[in-house]
Amino acid sequence: ARPRRKESHDTKSHPRGHGEQIWVWTHIEEGRIIYSLEPLLKPIKAFEQVPFTGKKLVPAKLRKDYWRPMALIDFKHNPEAAAEPPSIGKDTMGLVGRSVYQKLRELKLRHDLEWDDGQLIQMKKHDRGVELNDQRGNSVADISAVLGGIGKGNKMWYYPAVEAAEAEVEASLKASAVVETVTPEEERVLQIHRATIYWANEEDRHWAAEWPENVTHVVG
């Protein structure tokens, strides 16, 4: 029998719109961060993002009354977007959002496991675990960086479609025998998608030192 080809993350079937919004949840006491592509926290998926940082520092179960939404990252509904995003299929912004989600998850894991801060090393195990659990500052800084296009293969970057230019050429061909040549290189200038972040608390955005211009901030 012919072996089945393993599907990549992006080729799996998703409902349309899946990934167009990323919910950022935070623990009201510990400062833990959980990213979700759905508006409700699901314990099994959420616990995948809860590392072991020490005894009595990992919750036995997910208590929803201890978690609140810190921010919502929206790639579809942007009040300052000048036009619709370029289409690379029926799920353009969902694909972008899933790419951002993946990179945020990767960075979160690195914060949890890869640290060489001298102050952390000198702390007692319990105190160090408490400090590692609070990822609010790291999370906001990561969001700023990833939405700004940092990271290999970040789908925040795109080339604008050249269909419009090709349509103009076709129309001018019908109208006249003399047509200006449109070079694809001149049209394909790398650009970055826009995103809107809705903050539950406006002060949280200041965890990042700076924000890229393609990000719009809204309180509420």
Side-chain angles (χ1 to χ4, degrees):
R2 180 179 299 176
R4 295 181 62 183
R5 181 175 60 87
K6 185 178 180 180
E7 293 182 342
S8 66
H9 177 74
D10 288 334
T11 58
K12 291 181 179 179
S13 59
H14 296 282
R16 187 164 185 173
H18 183 69
E20 292 180 348
Q21 294 180 316
I22 301 174
W23 282 263
V24 185
W25 294 83
T26 183
H27 193 282
I28 60 176
E29 290 186 351
E30 299 174 354
R32 290 180 182 271
I33 292 293
I34 289 178
Y35 299 109
S36 174
L37 295 177
E38 300 174 89
L40 298 177
L41 276 181
K42 295 186 176 181
I44 295 178
K45 290 186 177 180
F47 268 110
E48 293 177 356
Q49 302 180 46
V50 178
F52 177 79
T53 51
K55 293 182 178 179
K56 298 182 180 181
L57 290 175
V58 180
K61 63 179 181 179
L62 188 85
R63 289 188 53 180
K64 295 183 179 180
D65 55 326
Y66 274 73
W67 293 86
R68 70 170 178 86
M70 184 174 77
L72 169 64
I73 309 172
D74 195 318
F75 297 96
K76 183 176 181 181
H77 308 288
N78 195 309
E80 293 191 2
E84 291 295 322
S87 177
I88 54 175
K90 67 177 183 178
D91 194 25
T92 302
M93 301 315 295
L95 183 64
V96 173
R98 293 193 295 273
S99 168
V100 170
Y101 173 79
Q102 181 183 10
K103 292 196 174 301
L104 291 176
R105 288 282 306 270
E106 291 172 354
L107 288 172
K108 182 181 183 304
L109 183 62
R110 296 191 66 175
H111 290 309
D112 291 333
L113 303 178
E114 298 178 20
W115 42 269
D116 56 1
D117 189 325
Q119 293 183 350
L120 285 175
I121 295 174
Q122 295 175 6
M123 286 182 178
K124 295 181 179 179
K125 289 184 178 180
H126 184 273
D127 295 338
R128 181 168 59 239
V130 171
E131 190 72 19
L132 289 172
N133 284 345
D134 190 351
Q135 292 287 348
R136 288 171 297 178
N138 288 335
S139 175
V140 176
D142 291 344
I143 293 171
S144 173
V146 175
L147 293 183
I150 291 178
K152 185 177 180 180
N154 191 335
K155 289 184 172 56
M156 285 295 293
W157 293 105
Y158 71 95
Y159 285 104
V162 296
E163 287 85 359
E166 293 173 350
E168 290 180 6
V169 173
E170 185 177 352
S172 57
L173 275 171
K174 297 178 181 178
S176 172
V178 180
V179 181
E180 274 190 341
T181 303
V182 179
T183 35
E185 290 76 12
E186 294 176 357
E187 298 294 330
R188 291 173 60 82
V189 179
L190 195 62
Q191 297 186 24
I192 192 166
H193 287 289
R194 299 193 63 85
T196 302
I197 303 181
Y198 296 89
W199 297 97
N201 183 351
E202 186 180 17
E203 296 301 318
D204 286 332
R205 62 177 285 192
H206 299 298
W207 285 105
E210 58 182 359
W211 286 93
E213 295 181 357
N214 61 306
V215 178
T216 301
H217 300 276
V218 179
V219 180

